[in-house]
Amino acid sequence: MLRWLRSFVLPTAACQDAEPPTRYETLFRALDRNGDGVVDIGELQHGLQSLGIPLGQDAEEKIFVTGDINKDGQLDFEEFMKYLKDHEKKMKLAFKSLDKNNDGKIEPSEIVQSLQMLGLHISEKQAELILQSIDSDGTMTVDWNEWRDYFLFNPVTDIEEIIRFWKHSTGIDIGDSLTIPDEFTEDEKKSGQWWRQLLAGGVAGAVSRTSTAPLDRLKVMMQVHGSKSMNILGGFRQMVKEGGLRSLWRGNGTNVIKIAPETAVKFWAYEQYKKLLTEEGQKLGTFERFVSGSMAGATAQTFIYPMEVLKTRLAVAKTGQYSGIYGCAKKILKQEGFGAFYKGYVPNLLGIIPYAGIDLAVYELLKTYWLDNFAKDTVNPGVVVLLSCGALSSTCGQLASYPLALVRTRMQAQAMVEGAPQLSMVGLFQRIISKEGVPGLYRGITPNFMKVLPAVGISYVVYENMKQTLGVAQK
């Protein structure tokens, strides 16, 4: 198929600048199935499939967004030709960025080197597998003609876009606030795509958290009361009996409201810490990303922590105990003072490090495993693999930091439990171990794990739909 493109449609290296329009016309006529002089999205999809041209994810839509200059939902020949010429220029830049030794060919070692600079570590064997799909002459190197032929209709414009499938995105919200912040390219920052993606992630998080709020409240109840007799079904019955069905969402308002300020502070802090840890133009490695993300998470948590306390107090409260978020804050301030808004702050801060570290480490491990065993001709793992890796790595991070999260929650709610001593972090650990044993440190973890899969699924669907609504270009 690639040889057909080269000989029949595409310009050779020697005549690239003097490309006769008849070559573009030949391809255009092959796509214009009804011969009306324009190509719509359906014709483009069917035409490219029949020609066997490899596409990127949502490629046809991206081509239309970029190429349809007059926005009439169709591509005429001039728009079609302009798109191909402009796209070739961008792909030439991508090719040059990979061709480190400027010999006009991309070799496996150059693929490894380039991806390593972007934080994606693969072996030379994996790079060879990736190149095999592009290499049409069996030389195990890719020249400009092969590169251009392969990516002719793939709307990626630079090497970062080609491998950013593996970005560990926080667009998937599972209700935990310890995640590493998202990263954006310079183009995304300049075009304003970054805030649209953050907004899409915020809306997805709000819907996801609201959908799984009953499980989250049950987790908090089990963490605070620590009763071996409280099981999942019994816990739900008890909450409904005490406050009705609406009580299952108690505390969720605060959990949703804090998404916006936390995301904003975390994103801002992450950018600042990245600048401190890297030199200008240097790409962020896994370790730098972990340190920057952990510090950004700590900064954001410091800023929004009083809302964490309010969420816990409202979740544990009985019906009528507080009149709402404001009433709860006012009552705590009056009865316990400002310090009560930072109870449990130390274990919460300590929990960021094991969570973020293990989350990233497991994600990298799963990524490497997939690349070693399943990456035959592409580094794009697909949606299911990405969601599975993200959910599993986040779950492992939660498992590691859960005892600290439990102690944090108990410290936040101690004043509400009658007869409960006001213990320190160390004192609480000792009390839990002596009275409940090690399993006591994991009280409530079952409903916490139960919410991961629905949270990931709901968050992903809403996130993708919000990105379309906001006009965010698909990766």
Side-chain angles (χ1 to χ4, degrees):
M1 183 277 301
L2 293 179
R3 289 190 183 91
W4 179 85
L5 276 174
R6 183 174 299 113
S7 62
F8 190 54
V9 178
L10 298 175
T12 62
C15 67
Q16 180 186 345
D17 294 331
E19 169 64 17
T22 52
R23 292 181 180 271
Y24 286 119
E25 286 174 350
T26 303
L27 179 55
F28 185 79
R29 286 169 185 162
L31 297 174
D32 182 16
R33 305 180 75 182
N34 60 9
D36 63 354
V38 291
V39 174
D40 60 27
I41 186 70
E43 288 177 317
L44 184 64
Q45 288 172 335
H46 287 107
L48 293 180
Q49 287 173 12
S50 64
L51 293 174
I53 295 176
L55 301 178
Q57 186 179 10
D58 300 323
E60 299 93 345
E61 287 85 353
K62 292 180 188 176
I63 291 170
F64 258 75
V65 168
T66 307
D68 185 15
I69 299 171
N70 60 11
K71 306 301 177 188
D72 63 351
Q74 298 173 321
L75 292 178
D76 58 32
F77 176 65
E78 287 186 7
E79 290 173 325
F80 181 75
M81 186 168 64
K82 186 178 187 307
Y83 169 80
L84 289 183
K85 284 184 174 292
D86 289 346
H87 187 60
E88 280 189 22
K89 290 176 184 176
K90 293 174 183 176
M91 289 316 303
K92 187 71 173 179
L93 294 175
F95 181 84
K96 287 181 177 178
S97 73
L98 280 171
D99 183 17
K100 301 296 180 185
N101 59 9
N102 296 316
D103 65 349
K105 295 179 291 187
I106 299 173
E107 300 160 0
S109 60
E110 291 173 323
I111 290 279
V112 172
Q113 183 183 351
S114 296
L115 298 192
Q116 194 168 20
M117 289 172 62
L118 294 168
L120 183 61
H121 301 277
I122 66 172
S123 66
E124 196 152 323
K125 182 181 177 183
Q126 292 166 349
E128 288 175 3
L129 290 171
I130 293 168
L131 282 181
Q132 278 178 6
S133 65
I134 307 175
D135 175 28
S136 61
D137 57 11
T139 60
M140 283 314 299
T141 61
V142 172
D143 61 24
W144 161 239
N145 287 332
E146 290 171 317
W147 176 266
R148 180 200 51 212
D149 294 356
Y150 188 81
F151 287 108
L152 176 67
F153 284 101
N154 194 324
V156 294
T157 55
D158 57 40
I159 186 58
E160 282 200 43
E161 283 190 63
I162 293 168
I163 62 92
R164 281 181 71 222
F165 305 114
W166 273 111
K167 186 176 77 167
H168 192 5
S169 175
T170 55
I172 307 305
D173 188 299
I174 62 169
D176 206 296
S177 55
L178 305 181
T179 49
I180 296 288
D182 216 337
E183 290 183 65
F184 302 101
T185 63
E186 289 304 315
D187 284 344
E188 286 173 324
K189 291 173 187 174
K190 289 175 184 176
S191 66
Q193 294 283 347
W194 66 273
W195 70 261
R196 292 185 179 91
Q197 289 192 43
L198 288 179
L199 178 59
V203 173
V207 175
S208 173
R209 294 183 187 196
T210 301
S211 302
T212 57
L215 285 166
D216 194 58
R217 189 187 175 210
L218 177 62
K219 175 197 73 175
V220 174
M221 294 289 284
M222 293 176 77
Q223 284 178 330
V224 171
H225 296 295
S227 171
K228 294 179 182 179
S229 61
M230 181 185 281
N231 56 31
I232 293 172
L233 190 58
F236 276 126
R237 283 176 178 166
Q238 186 177 322
M239 287 190 293
V240 172
K241 184 179 179 181
E242 190 276 329
L245 279 174
R246 285 185 62 186
S247 70
L248 297 178
W249 279 265
R250 195 171 292 162
N252 181 60
T254 312
N255 201 26
V256 168
I257 290 171
K258 71 184 177 73
I259 292 175
E262 182 180 22
T263 301
V265 173
K266 192 185 288 186
F267 174 69
W268 174 83
Y270 188 48
E271 293 298 311
Q272 305 312 308
Y273 290 129
K274 280 200 305 183
K275 290 175 184 176
L276 288 173
L277 291 172
T278 57
E279 296 177 6
E280 190 173 351
Q282 180 185 345
K283 296 294 181 182
L284 208 66
T286 302
F287 177 74
E288 290 83 6
R289 186 167 189 245
F290 163 64
V291 174
S292 300
S294 297
M295 292 172 69
T299 303
Q301 282 290 292
T302 302
F303 182 78
I304 60 98
Y305 193 76
M307 298 183 79
E308 295 276 4
V309 175
L310 289 173
K311 173 208 162 188
T312 299
R313 291 292 186 96
L314 288 165
V316 177
K318 295 179 179 178
T319 303
Q321 189 169 351
Y322 298 117
S323 58
I325 297 172
Y326 177 73
C328 179
K330 188 177 178 182
K331 197 169 184 179
I332 291 173
L333 188 62
K334 182 179 179 181
Q335 295 181 352
E336 304 171 53
F338 184 77
F341 289 111
Y342 280 88
K343 284 184 177 179
Y345 175 74
V346 173
N348 183 71
L349 216 57
L350 292 175
I352 291 174
I353 296 173
Y355 181 96
I358 290 175
D359 183 21
L360 270 182
V362 172
Y363 190 79
E364 290 295 317
L365 186 68
L366 294 170
K367 177 176 73 177
T368 301
Y369 179 80
W370 190 90
L371 288 168
D372 279 332
N373 295 278
F374 302 102
K376 301 304 179 187
D377 58 4
T378 177
V379 291
N380 182 2
V383 170
V384 174
V385 173
L386 282 180
L387 291 182
S388 301
C389 289
L392 187 56
S393 63
S394 185
T395 299
C396 290
Q398 287 184 339
L399 190 62
S401 63
Y402 195 83
L404 286 162
L406 181 137
V407 168
R408 172 204 68 192
T409 304
R410 286 206 185 177
M411 290 180 73
Q412 290 172 341
Q414 273 183 135
M416 297 178 66
V417 182
E418 290 184 23
Q422 302 299 296
L423 300 173
S424 65
M425 179 180 75
V426 175
L428 259 175
F429 266 116
Q430 292 173 338
R431 181 183 175 87
I432 293 169
I433 293 292
S434 63
K435 291 205 165 192
E436 304 172 50
V438 174
L441 294 172
Y442 290 89
R443 193 80 62 208
I445 199 167
T446 302
N448 193 56
F449 283 167
M450 285 174 64
K451 73 175 185 174
V452 170
L453 286 180
V456 167
I458 293 167
S459 184
Y460 173 75
V461 171
V462 177
Y463 182 60
E464 290 301 312
N465 279 282
M466 278 301 300
K467 285 202 298 180
Q468 288 183 16
T469 302
L470 295 169
V472 177
Q474 300 294 307
K475 296 185 185 73

